[in-house]
Amino acid sequence: MENEKELLGILEVSAFKHYLRFAAENMRYSEVNLQRLLKQFPTATKVLTLEEWQKLGVLPKKKSRALEVLVPRKIVKRDAAHQLLTTEDGERMIETQFVLSPCLFDVSQTNASNKECIPLFNQPECLGTPLRYAKLFVGLRVFSAGKVAIDFLKSETLPDEKQVWVPQGLGAEATIKKILRDLVALEVDTMNEEIRDFEVRAISYALFAHLKLSCEEESFPELALWEKAGKTPSFFEFPLSHLTSLLQQIIQRLDPILEATFDPTVGKNPFERRLMAVQKARRRGQAPPSLEPSDVPTSFEPSENASVQAMNRRIKAGNATRKARSQVAMRKESEQ
């Protein structure tokens, strides 16, 4: 009954949208724990343990109450006389039990600002220029494993139902949203067409929110229709659990690709990262951070990889050869 009460609350559209955004930012937790956290702290957005906040240089505010979640605990089984139970091989019998543990704090319970908790590719400025959009297209193609094709379409007929085709002329953000929604549709394998369509739109909404794309136009009319039709919360329980799990799997695959796409420091050494930070600060008119001795490279050779260096050497050698030949030809012409 307790779980049904929780599901009844989430059937309201605004509460369901907040749940989706919360699930997208707290991917380690099951649907049951996500609901439990929102029941304790309805406005929660990002939760971490005390140790995780401390590693970020953040501390909970005074008198902040930790939020409880179910966590697994390994329990050694004993008999009625409290003697250890063992298997036929003499190994201790251990079972996993889930117990409530008050171990999490929401970002609003700490002295951190929301900006500190937003990943680089989640910041709005990352989607503000044509170059950023181009990089995102590249990342989505990697995520889709070749399923995305951007081409002109004259009709609604798709050449291949297992491939995403996007017509040109939609605009950058609309194109990205269509690609994401169609990729999600390829991932959802629910047989019931009504439930499948609902899960696709719910997961897409959470992804749009995760990427800071516009998503408020989604209204989820199914929620009201199901409630009006007398559907019980247990009917909604499986779709909610399934879409939550699939959403988290998609984001876990997508996030590393987006991080590599948007983070200019990926693959750079410490000196290069520090230098880029100085250049960025200067462009913003801020005092640049000082370079630490450990960041200064021991060699002043270019930081390009070996293949690029080899190509540059070949180009220079070719230019020198052509210049020498030209000089010889000019000398012969002058002698004639």
Side-chain angles (χ1 to χ4, degrees), residues 246-280:
L246 189 54
L247 165 65
Q248 293 170 340
Q249 292 174 26
I250 290 174
I251 292 180
Q252 285 172 352
R253 288 167 48 202
L254 188 60
D255 274 3
I257 294 173
L258 294 179
E259 188 171 358
T261 300
F262 287 128
D263 191 347
T265 65
V266 170
K268 304 291 184 180
N269 61 42
F271 174 76
E272 291 173 308
R273 291 196 295 268
R274 177 70 68 171
L275 185 60
M276 294 180 72
V278 171
Q279 293 170 343
K280 185 176 181 180

Side-chain angles (χ1 to χ4, degrees), residues 134-327:
K135 288 185 176 181
L136 182 56
F137 285 130
V138 172
L140 290 177
R141 288 185 66 84
V142 174
F143 170 80
S144 67
K147 295 177 182 176
V148 174
I150 301 176
D151 201 355
F152 290 104
L153 287 181
K154 300 295 185 182
S155 68
E156 294 297 324
T157 304
L158 299 182
D160 184 354
E161 63 178 7
K162 292 298 183 183
Q163 190 174 27
V164 177
W165 286 79
V166 182
Q168 293 186 1
L170 293 179
E173 183 168 337
T175 301
I176 290 171
K177 290 171 67 174
K178 176 168 176 50
I179 292 174
L180 284 173
R181 189 185 293 270
D182 289 349
L183 287 176
V184 169
L186 293 177
E187 299 287 333
V188 177
D189 56 0
T190 305
M191 299 301 295
N192 184 302
E193 188 174 347
E194 180 186 16
I195 300 296
R196 182 179 182 276
D197 179 65
F198 172 77
E199 290 181 349
V200 169
R201 287 186 290 108
I203 294 173
S204 300
Y205 172 88
L207 280 179
F208 299 162
H210 188 61
L211 288 172
K212 299 298 181 282
L213 299 170
S214 61
C215 56
E216 289 304 322
E217 66 272 12
E218 188 61 71
S219 59
F220 299 110
E222 294 90 345
L223 297 176
L225 291 175
W226 290 339
E227 190 172 10
K228 186 177 181 180
K231 298 288 187 182
T232 63
S234 57
F235 166 82
F236 187 54
E237 188 172 356
F238 176 77
L240 183 65
S241 177
H242 182 255
L243 73 86
T244 300
S245 176
L246 189 54
L247 165 65
Q248 293 170 340
Q249 292 174 26
I250 290 174
I251 292 180
Q252 285 172 352
R253 288 167 48 202
L254 188 60
D255 274 3
I257 294 173
L258 294 179
E259 188 171 358
T261 300
F262 287 128
D263 191 347
T265 65
V266 170
K268 304 291 184 180
N269 61 42
F271 174 76
E272 291 173 308
R273 291 196 295 268
R274 177 70 68 171
L275 185 60
M276 294 180 72
V278 171
Q279 293 170 343
K280 185 176 181 180
R282 284 175 176 167
R283 286 196 299 269
R284 294 182 175 181
Q286 301 171 348
S290 59
L291 293 176
E292 298 178 3
S294 59
D295 292 328
V296 179
T298 56
S299 172
F300 291 95
E301 294 180 358
S303 59
E304 301 162 345
N305 57 42
S307 60
V308 174
Q309 291 177 1
M311 181 180 67
N312 288 337
R313 287 195 295 270
R314 288 195 297 271
I315 292 173
K316 290 179 181 178
N319 290 339
T321 301
R322 284 192 292 271
K323 184 177 180 180
R325 288 175 179 173
S326 176
Q327 290 174 347

Side-chain angles (χ1 to χ4, degrees), residues 122-138:
N122 254 8
Q123 296 178 12
E125 59 265 27
C126 285
L127 296 175
T129 65
L131 180 59
R132 292 293 190 185
Y133 278 112
K135 288 185 176 181
L136 182 56
F137 285 130
V138 172

Side-chain angles (χ1 to χ4, degrees), residues 8-229:
L8 280 172
I10 211 171
L11 283 172
E12 199 273 323
V13 175
S14 62
F16 180 61
K17 286 184 174 182
H18 181 67
Y19 170 84
L20 291 175
R21 294 192 297 268
F22 187 63
E25 301 306 323
N26 300 275
M27 297 181 294
R28 292 182 299 179
Y29 303 104
S30 66
E31 168 259 330
V32 172
N33 269 333
L34 291 170
Q35 287 198 63
R36 185 177 296 278
L37 288 166
L38 289 176
K39 184 180 179 182
Q40 298 170 75
F41 204 98
T43 59
T45 56
K46 178 69 176 179
V47 294
L48 293 173
T49 65
L50 175 61
E51 292 76 16
E52 289 169 334
W53 283 124
Q54 287 175 334
K55 288 180 181 179
L56 296 174
V58 174
L59 293 175
K61 298 175 183 177
K62 291 183 178 180
K63 299 183 180 179
S64 293
R65 183 176 179 181
L67 307 177
E68 293 182 336
V69 287
L70 290 169
V71 297
R73 290 284 186 268
K74 300 292 185 181
I75 307 296
V76 179
K77 298 186 70 174
R78 297 175 182 269
D79 59 19
H82 297 285
Q83 298 297 317
L84 293 176
L85 296 176
T86 58
T87 64
E88 294 180 355
D89 298 328
E91 299 289 336
R92 292 183 179 181
M93 296 181 65
I94 300 176
E95 64 178 359
T96 301
Q97 296 182 358
F98 287 85
V99 298
L100 281 174
S101 174
C103 57
L104 298 174
F105 293 90
D106 181 60
V107 61
S108 62
Q109 296 177 291
T110 71
N111 59 3
S113 66
N114 285 329
K115 186 176 181 180
E116 293 178 72
C117 305
I118 298 177
L120 177 66
F121 54 83
N122 254 8
Q123 296 178 12
E125 59 265 27
C126 285
L127 296 175
T129 65
L131 180 59
R132 292 293 190 185
Y133 278 112
K135 288 185 176 181
L136 182 56
F137 285 130
V138 172
L140 290 177
R141 288 185 66 84
V142 174
F143 170 80
S144 67
K147 295 177 182 176
V148 174
I150 301 176
D151 201 355
F152 290 104
L153 287 181
K154 300 295 185 182
S155 68
E156 294 297 324
T157 304
L158 299 182
D160 184 354
E161 63 178 7
K162 292 298 183 183
Q163 190 174 27
V164 177
W165 286 79
V166 182
Q168 293 186 1
L170 293 179
E173 183 168 337
T175 301
I176 290 171
K177 290 171 67 174
K178 176 168 176 50
I179 292 174
L180 284 173
R181 189 185 293 270
D182 289 349
L183 287 176
V184 169
L186 293 177
E187 299 287 333
V188 177
D189 56 0
T190 305
M191 299 301 295
N192 184 302
E193 188 174 347
E194 180 186 16
I195 300 296
R196 182 179 182 276
D197 179 65
F198 172 77
E199 290 181 349
V200 169
R201 287 186 290 108
I203 294 173
S204 300
Y205 172 88
L207 280 179
F208 299 162
H210 188 61
L211 288 172
K212 299 298 181 282
L213 299 170
S214 61
C215 56
E216 289 304 322
E217 66 272 12
E218 188 61 71
S219 59
F220 299 110
E222 294 90 345
L223 297 176
L225 291 175
W226 290 339
E227 190 172 10
K228 186 177 181 180

